[in-house]
């Protein structure tokens, strides 16, 4: 079963616009990560935010984490056509037998039109 | 300096056959993960190794699936009596993590398995 649920499932925007993707999860976590996947390729790590952090930046990426709502958002500013990809959130559970493994959501498919 | 390497990149087999998929992680990475990804879905966790031992194999769907990592480096995912429903991309990832918090995963390009 998947721990995270991203929304929207698909997002289409124009180059230069901002893209926001959301992720909700179910259990207490140590950290939450965002990954990107180009069609037919492996996943690439974008950013990791720890459970005691609320916001993190990396270049054009901004990630927020609200542990009280069990949700996170990924903002891509000034999007480019090359940002077209699927984006996944992933969490590791803080307790229980699933500690140490990373559970992925179903992803948001982002399309950035030039 | 090489990344995670998976072979074969593509495998077509017939229903009922045995298949092995290989993963060569980044040198020095103690943690190794196998995931399965169907079209349009997120990666589904299968099994996670810490060193030579399976730390969590709760994602293996049934006893036809088995994975080993005998020397704590290369891992092989083995699927017996393949079924059409096993068709998917099998992703391998490795990480520097020790027990506890999960760090950044480095993924291979995947092995696409097609069962006819």
């Amino acid at each position: 079963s998947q721990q995270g649920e991203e929304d929207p499932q698909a997002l289409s925007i124009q180059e230069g616009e901002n893209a926001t993707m959301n992720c909700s999860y179910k259990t207490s976590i140590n950290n939450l990560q965002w990954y990107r996947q180009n069609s037919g390729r492996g996943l690439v790590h974008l950013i990791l935010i720890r459970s005691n952090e609320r916001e993190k930046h990396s270049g054009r990426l901004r990630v927020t984490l609200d542990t009280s709502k069990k949700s996170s958002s990924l903002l891509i500013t000034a999007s480019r056509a090359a940002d077209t990809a699927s984006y996944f959130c992933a969490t590791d559970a803080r307790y229980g037998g699933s500690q140490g493994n990373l559970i992925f959501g179903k992803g948001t498919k982002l399309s950035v039109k030039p | 300096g090489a990344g995670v390497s998976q072979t074969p990149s593509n495998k077509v087999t017939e229903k009922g056959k045995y298949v092995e998929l290989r993963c060569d992680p980044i040198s020095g990475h103690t943690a190794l993960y196998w995931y399965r990804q169907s079209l349009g879905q997120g990666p589904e966790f299968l099994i996670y190794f810490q060193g030579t031992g399976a730390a969590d194999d709760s994602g293996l769907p049934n006893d036809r699936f088995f994975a080993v990592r005998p020397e704590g480096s290369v891992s092989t995912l083995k699927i017996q009596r393949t079924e059409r429903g096993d068709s998917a991309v099998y992703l391998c990832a490795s990480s520097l993590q020790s027990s506890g918090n999960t760090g950044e995963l480095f993924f291979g390009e995947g092995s696409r398995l097609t069962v006819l």
Side-chain angles (χ1 to χ4, degrees), chain A residues 28-86:
Chain A
S28 294
I29 60 171
N30 291 308
N31 66 59
L32 184 144
Q33 302 181 38
W34 285 91
Y35 286 79
R36 167 197 166 120
Q37 185 178 36
N38 285 14
S39 182
R41 307 298 300 273
L43 282 80
V44 175
H45 180 264
L46 293 176
I47 197 165
L48 180 154
I49 185 165
R50 303 195 186 285
S51 60
N52 61 355
E53 295 176 313
R54 291 297 165 257
E55 187 171 313
K56 204 160 181 181
H57 297 253
S58 177
R60 293 184 295 112
L61 306 180
R62 174 180 166 245
V63 168
T64 62
L65 179 65
D66 186 336
T67 53
S68 66
K69 294 180 179 177
K70 292 188 169 58
S71 68
S72 173
S73 67
L74 170 67
L75 168 69
I76 304 174
T77 59
S79 63
R80 305 166 182 167
D83 294 329
T84 295
S86 291

